[in-house]
Amino acid sequence: MTVGFDLDMTLIDSRPGIKAVYDRLVAETGVYIDTELVVTRLGPPLDEELANWFPAERVPEMSERYRALYPAHAIEPTPAMPGALAAIDAVRAAGGRPVVVTAKYEPNARMHLDHVGIRADLRGWLWAEAKAEALLEWGASVYVGDHVGDVRGARTAGALSVAVATGPCGADELRAAGADVVLADLTEFPGWLADYTSAAA
């Protein structure tokens, strides 16, 4: 059994680190960015967010600068979400393989996993339906995420969509998007997985 996990607001609380990087962009460019607002809607690719604050022709340059600033400003302040490490351990204890599929730039995503002590295979730069590419390649039967885009990715891959209401999308919105299971957070995941695997057996 392979279980996929999203990264931002599923396994890690990336709000403090992402805000710090956007604050640096503001300081460097003088362009107004509502960094408090930005961290309430994490999930979609970086370029989509930057397009709210910069003209289209500057987005590639700002994306590059953001990713360059990221390691020094975003890794250290970013903690694991409650229950994240236990959720990964629960997959392994059940004889499964945890994998991480995220829209984040892969080298930065790897630094986050190393920082919080999560060992898992990783694919980055995949958003929403595109996440199915890695989920299908790895044969994931479950995908856990916090965003309606994660639900779409799971469904595109034919995987069970397990949603956690820890990100920008509430439980009702996740259910409406087609999530098969909605948990309050990852602390509920080991219990759910135990029930799921015993039912499957």
Side-chain angles (χ1 to χ4, degrees), residues 91-103:
V91 173
R92 285 210 173 87
R97 173 193 185 196
V99 299
V100 176
V101 183
T102 176

Side-chain angles (χ1 to χ4, degrees), residues 19-118:
K19 185 179 186 306
V21 179
Y22 275 101
D23 286 340
R24 289 295 309 167
L25 276 185
V26 171
E28 287 189 5
T29 64
V31 171
Y32 172 74
I33 300 172
D34 186 341
T35 59
E36 296 283 357
L37 175 63
V38 166
V39 297
T40 67
R41 55 190 188 196
L42 302 181
L46 171 64
D47 289 3
E48 290 185 22
E49 183 59 56
L50 288 170
N52 294 314
W53 312 103
F54 293 94
E57 65 273 13
R58 290 199 71 192
V59 168
E61 169 204 351
M62 290 299 105
S63 293
E64 197 172 312
R65 185 59 187 145
Y66 176 99
R67 293 190 183 101
L69 289 165
Y70 199 95
H73 298 281
I75 307 300
E76 194 64 35
T78 297
M81 292 292 279
L85 276 75
I88 296 289
D89 289 345
V91 173
R92 285 210 173 87
R97 173 193 185 196
V99 299
V100 176
V101 183
T102 176
K104 192 180 285 299
Y105 178 56
E106 194 169 308
N108 289 344
R110 174 58 67 193
M111 281 187 274
H112 277 302
L113 293 179
D114 291 345
H115 177 67
V116 298
I118 290 174

Side-chain angles (χ1 to χ4, degrees), residues 7 10 67 70 73 84 95 117 126 132 141 179 184:
L7 184 62
T10 299
R67 293 190 183 101
Y70 199 95
H73 298 281
L126 295 174
S141 54

Side-chain angles (χ1 to χ4, degrees), residues 4-8 10 42-48 67 99-107 109 121-138 140 143-154 156-157:
F5 291 87
D6 175 51
L7 184 62
D8 286 1
T10 299
L42 302 181
L46 171 64
D47 289 3
E48 290 185 22
R67 293 190 183 101
V99 299
V100 176
V101 183
T102 176
K104 192 180 285 299
Y105 178 56
E106 194 169 308
D121 291 314
L122 170 69
R123 283 285 298 280
W125 273 15
L126 295 174
W127 162 240
E129 289 83 357
K131 291 188 173 194
E133 176 189 319
L135 296 173
L136 287 165
E137 180 186 323
W138 282 329
Y143 185 60
V144 185
D146 65 280
H147 197 283
V148 294
D150 299 323
V151 177
R152 300 203 305 271
T156 302

